[in-house]
Amino acid sequence: MESCELIPGRGIRRGDIDVFFGMRRKALRDALGYTAGGDGMWDDEDEYAGTDGTDWLVLRFLDDRLCDIEVRGGSLVHEGIELKNTLMPTLRVDLERKGMALEKTEWLSEGHDCVDLQIVVAAESDIDDYSDDTGDKIAWVIASSDFKVE
């Protein structure tokens, strides 16, 4: 299972590889071992599979610079809190212990904002077109260079 650390406002870290906003696409492709193919819908995004072949990560670019990170699989942690490989009620409790909260998103159409971590988190039950709704399992976590909550 892929494992990363969230660096709020900057991106993620996978081992010794930084995946930070503003980095160039080629540098990230080289560092993460990108292989062309797959079902990428958009030419401004790169999809990565985990070592087990399942969806892991989607990186979106604007003018060849990283602007969005969507973690779809594996583990994503911040200061001991598991953000991805968990259930929504567990995540809420873990965040509350650290003085943080999840609120209905103001930034995207689905999910919940964690303003302190500058992320949006969606459980499978939050996603309108999720075909296999199992409820509280986290479907994805998105971090963006444009994250803003008014």
Side-chain angles (χ1 to χ4, degrees):
M1 171 175 30
E2 301 297 330
S3 181
C4 295
E5 173 189 6
L6 175 70
I7 312 297
R10 296 193 65 200
I12 63 173
R13 182 170 288 134
R14 177 185 179 214
D16 61 351
I17 300 171
D18 292 337
V19 180
F20 287 171
F21 302 124
M23 292 180 73
R24 293 207 174 271
R25 192 174 200 172
K26 182 176 181 342
L28 287 168
R29 282 180 166 187
D30 291 347
L32 295 171
Y34 179 78
T35 55
D39 298 340
M41 283 180 33
W42 311 104
D43 62 359
D44 65 343
E45 64 183 34
D46 290 346
E47 295 183 13
Y48 293 85
T51 53
D52 62 358
T54 59
D55 285 347
W56 167 53
L57 186 69
V58 177
L59 302 180
R60 293 182 189 89
F61 298 87
L62 179 62
D63 298 328
D64 195 48
R65 301 273 185 178
L66 180 64
C67 62
D68 297 323
I69 301 167
E70 180 177 342
V71 179
R72 293 184 179 174
S75 172
L76 177 66
V77 298
H78 176 71
E79 295 184 358
I81 298 173
E82 175 59 52
L83 303 169
K84 169 59 184 88
N85 191 24
T86 190
L87 302 175
M88 188 63 84
T90 304
L91 179 57
R92 284 186 189 283
V93 168
D94 290 346
L95 289 171
E96 286 174 9
R97 282 192 196 126
K98 299 270 187 166
M100 296 180 269
L102 288 172
E103 303 167 3
K104 184 70 178 150
T105 188
E106 294 179 24
W107 190 68
L108 293 176
S109 61
E110 301 169 325
H112 297 82
D113 296 333
C114 181
V115 176
D116 294 306
L117 297 180
Q118 300 177 35
I119 59 173
V120 181
V121 178
E124 292 173 350
S125 59
D126 292 323
I127 301 171
D128 292 335
D129 62 350
Y130 205 86
S131 61
D132 186 25
D133 179 6
T134 57
D136 290 331
K137 185 176 177 185
I138 304 297
W140 49 253
V141 177
I142 295 178
S144 177
S145 60
D146 292 332
F147 183 91
K148 292 177 182 67
V149 176
E150 313 246 341

